[in-house]
Amino acid sequence: VTTVARLHAEVTVDAQRFRADRAREARVRLTWVEPTAPSAPEPVDIAIIGMACVFPGAPDLASFWSNIVGRIDSITEVPAQRWDASVYYDPEATGATGTRTRSKWGGFVGQVPFDPLRYGIPPSALTSVEPVQLLALEVAGRALADAGYANNSGGSGAVDRSRVSVVFGAEAGSDLLNGTTLRMILPSYLGHLPPELDARLPKITEDTFAGQLSNVIAGRIANRLDFGGASYSVDAACGSSLAAIDMACKELLRGTSDMVVCGGADLHNAANDYLLFSSVGALSPTGHCRTFAASADGIALGEGVACVVLKRRADAERAGDRIYAVIEGVGSGSDGRSLGLTAPRPEGQRRAMDRAYRNARISPARVGLIEAHGTGTVVGDRTELSTLDSLFTESGAVPHSCALGSVKSQIGHTKCAAGLAGLIKSALAVHTGVKPPTLHVDEPNPAWRPGMSPFAFYREPMPWLAPPRERIAGISAFGFGGTNFHVVMRGHASADLTRHGADQWPVELFTFRGVDYPAACREIARLGELIATNDAHGRPWRLRDLARTTALRAERGRGPVRVAIVAGDLDELAVRLAVAVAGRSDPARDVYILAGQPPERGKLAMMFPGQGSQRPGMLAELFVAFPDLRRFVVAAPAVADAMFPPTAFDAERRSAQADRLRHTAIAQPALGITGLATHHLLSQLNVTPDMVAGHSYGEVVALAAAGAFDAATLTELSAARAQAILDTAAARPGGDPGAMAAIVAGASEVRLALTAAGLDGT
């Protein structure tokens, strides 16, 4: 064919038939393509079906999301066992000295239990293997379990492990490699290895070589979990984990893999990492990533390992997999020629974003959340914010329509794992319908244009009320050397099945029943035995697991609740159980004891408040934690916008937000929504009032709570009542809104007074 250059072969694979009988058949259609600009590629359409992570302050996925929603700052001073701050820290350090760092703060991963025998690794080999390889293996195993494929099964059946690939974003080196290199290189400088160092430096064994290669991070996972697809690591500096996502999606789109275990790993928080970052002036001398804040002064280093399990969306739906989110587009690009390799350039960032949204066939104007690279450096934040602003404004995004932030404000910059930290945060945001907060933004970067910028900041988590498929997020990760990546994802319809917005709560309630106090103490002892078993065998039971077990036992128990305890973690629970067994209430520690006979149950009344009790952000925490409550507010978008506004950074805007919610047409429906939502939640917890009442407008909500009419009718009545008040005010001379009055009199006396005043007394 002489015109083959103008032919385009479009190949479509019948995936269902391919999966059914493994017949490698395809239909090939040749179509004429004019030599014009290339058309947009098909959306990526890759499902995230499993996730796991270990980050500072978060030993697992549940605690990671709980910390995000709970606004937990996990930055600490460097632990003494990592490196000696007295040797390396100098608050006055400037320039590339290579001997001092001006930061001694960061995000550090705590100890993570690891059972080598579970993975067939001899314990004797552990001292020769980089911890990042072992932690990546553990986290990959957790991600597979989260996806339902831990035992080679999930959804409708097993996965062909020969078609599962592993791709990780990572870079070589860590403390173990540093020590091994020192052992090998020092003799070339000193002529020998000093005996005192010989005793302290890691020995070289047959496991050392493989144990320190970055590619073996992926290779060990494929080896131990028996995967036969491709396995490799990619290094794009701080963009590494999104580079891995890019490659993983391409594996699935090409059809060379049916599942990809994709991760990012970085435990580079040694002294040399601090010295190198300090040499280019990147570290914050105050120890925090103040992303997009006017006070931003540099980055705080973090570390972590994260992993997601990916499948083609159609395959995941066919298998019945749980889908957190769907990756619709991935874009990448380099900064190109510039004066330096490390300074960010808007051209490269814009290039990656343009390609991502073109790939996804989604306009940036529809995006509701941007998880920015957001390191917290003055130049970096200004460049990224300006680039985003121009892209979104040109796309027609309306002011304050998109939440902007970065998880770096809570865990620091986790470098090779940073992209996946942001991607997992965003996937949970679109899945649960939450706009996450960003810490440390007291005053935004001057590049942010209040009242005009498409972006808004949130100090507190707020409900994201859009339907799952309309929750769209963008995630950026930019790397040293000018490489840029951007991912576009959206929610999946199955997210509506979410019961609540968190898999881990800040605290749990433990109650113990008994016909008398000693009987309740015996129940406490049973829980103590369970905790001891958990510790002795290293079982992964969480606080919520023990709370549920205790609740089920209490439900089957006899007698009243004798002991109630609130605890935030396992250690706190053990201490408070000991206090309870000692026989004394301690409200300061949330330990409550009923030693004698319970008092007679009184009657419960609920009072619903009237206009004047509303405030911006009211009950946002309930709508975040319990997605089921959002059905009361989704039908009133204007009211929802007034109830859950973005953060206002000055008194004028705070006053404007309060005034908007104070307007009768907004205030009354808002109070109806919150009142009914609260009543519904309490009813779900079997808290049922014997009587209800309301103050002013609250009477209408009380009638709905009493069953006089349903929620839809309450919404209509609220709007009609508010309009009637506004119409009455408008009809008065000068639009005088009038005033409220309290009358102490009987109905007949009021009628007489109204008639005497020439008013209708009916």
Side-chain angles (χ1 to χ4, degrees), residues 164-168 214-223 227-234 251 257 260-261:
V164 177
S165 293
V166 183
V167 185
F168 257 71
S214 62
N215 186 59
V216 180
I217 294 173
R220 193 177 296 274
I221 293 170
N223 177 278
F227 295 144
S231 68
Y232 53 92
S233 298
V234 295
E251 281 283 341
S257 300
V260 179
V261 177

Side-chain angles (χ1 to χ4, degrees), residues 19-239:
R19 286 174 57 84
D21 59 15
R22 295 295 175 194
R24 298 179 179 271
E25 297 182 3
R27 301 191 306 277
V28 179
R29 182 171 73 252
L30 298 181
T31 58
W32 291 100
V33 177
E34 294 301 324
T36 57
S39 60
E42 289 298 316
V44 173
D45 208 23
I46 299 299
I48 302 172
I49 65 170
M51 300 192 295
C53 62
V54 173
F55 283 116
D60 52 38
L61 181 68
S63 56
F64 178 59
W65 181 241
S66 179
N67 287 352
I68 288 172
V69 176
R71 303 179 71 251
I72 302 300
D73 187 341
S74 298
I75 300 300
T76 64
E77 287 196 14
V78 57
Q81 65 269 26
R82 292 300 188 91
W83 50 269
D84 190 345
S86 67
V87 174
Y88 293 104
Y89 172 63
D90 179 1
E92 305 301 325
T94 58
T97 65
T99 58
R100 293 289 188 270
T101 169
R102 64 176 185 167
S103 175
K104 60 176 179 178
W105 298 274
F108 297 89
V109 169
Q111 292 186 345
V112 179
F114 180 78
D115 179 5
L117 297 180
R118 176 187 174 196
Y119 297 102
I121 300 174
S124 60
L126 296 185
T127 57
S128 300
V129 179
E130 289 279 14
V132 68
Q133 291 189 12
L134 305 176
L135 192 53
L137 176 58
E138 172 68 20
V139 172
R142 293 183 189 179
L144 283 167
D146 186 59
Y149 289 89
N151 300 313
N152 197 26
S153 64
S156 63
V159 62
D160 181 354
R161 286 178 118 72
S162 70
R163 292 181 55 78
V164 177
S165 293
V166 183
V167 185
F168 257 71
E171 61 179 329
S174 195
D175 287 348
L176 185 60
L177 178 60
N178 292 341
T180 305
T181 302
L182 197 60
R183 168 179 287 279
M184 294 186 293
I185 297 299
L186 264 182
S188 68
Y189 288 91
L190 303 179
H192 71 289
L193 184 65
E196 61 272 23
L197 288 180
D198 182 48
R200 297 182 62 183
L201 293 175
K203 307 295 183 184
I204 297 176
T205 71
E206 61 182 6
D207 298 298
T208 299
F209 194 8
Q212 297 180 2
L213 295 176
S214 62
N215 186 59
V216 180
I217 294 173
R220 193 177 296 274
I221 293 170
N223 177 278
R224 292 296 82 199
L225 301 182
D226 191 25
F227 295 144
S231 68
Y232 53 92
S233 298
V234 295
D235 182 354
C238 304

Side-chain angles (χ1 to χ4, degrees), residues 273-469:
D273 298 296
Y274 277 75
L275 295 174
L276 288 169
F277 274 93
S278 191
S279 71
V280 294
L283 295 185
S284 164
T286 54
H288 290 282
C289 285
R290 293 179 173 84
T291 305
F292 298 125
S295 60
D297 58 1
I299 69 174
L301 295 182
E303 61 186 11
V305 176
C307 189
V308 295
V309 180
L310 306 176
K311 289 175 72 174
R312 291 178 287 270
R313 179 184 57 81
D315 292 348
E317 289 175 341
R318 190 178 303 114
D321 297 323
R322 181 263 320 279
I323 298 176
Y324 284 109
V326 178
I327 297 173
E328 297 284 20
V330 182
S332 61
S334 293
D335 286 348
R337 179 178 296 178
S338 62
L339 294 177
L341 279 169
T342 60
R345 295 192 68 208
E347 296 86 352
Q349 296 176 10
R350 177 65 184 263
R351 201 170 287 131
M353 294 178 194
D354 282 339
R355 290 168 179 170
Y357 290 104
R358 186 168 180 266
N359 185 194
R361 296 189 177 182
I362 291 174
S363 168
R366 297 172 58 193
V367 176
L369 171 67
I370 285 290
E371 174 65 16
H373 183 61
T375 56
T377 60
V378 177
V379 176
D381 282 0
R382 183 176 63 243
T383 301
E384 185 172 10
L385 184 54
S386 299
T387 304
L388 284 165
D389 194 287
S390 63
L391 171 63
F392 276 62
T393 300
E394 291 168 16
S395 301
V398 300
H400 296 175
S401 59
C402 181
L404 176 64
S406 173
V407 74
K408 292 180 180 65
S409 69
Q410 295 179 265
I411 63 172
H413 185 5
T414 55
K415 306 174 292 296
C416 289
L420 263 185
L423 184 138
I424 289 177
K425 169 189 170 183
S426 301
L428 289 169
V430 301
H431 184 64
T432 60
V434 174
K435 293 181 179 179
T438 289
L439 276 54
H440 310 308
V441 185
D442 296 321
E443 180 184 345
N445 187 293
W448 181 67
R449 303 173 299 145
M452 300 173 61
S453 172
F455 303 105
F457 299 101
Y458 290 87
R459 283 201 188 106
E460 304 286 343
M462 291 291 175
W464 192 351
L465 299 173
R469 287 283 293 166

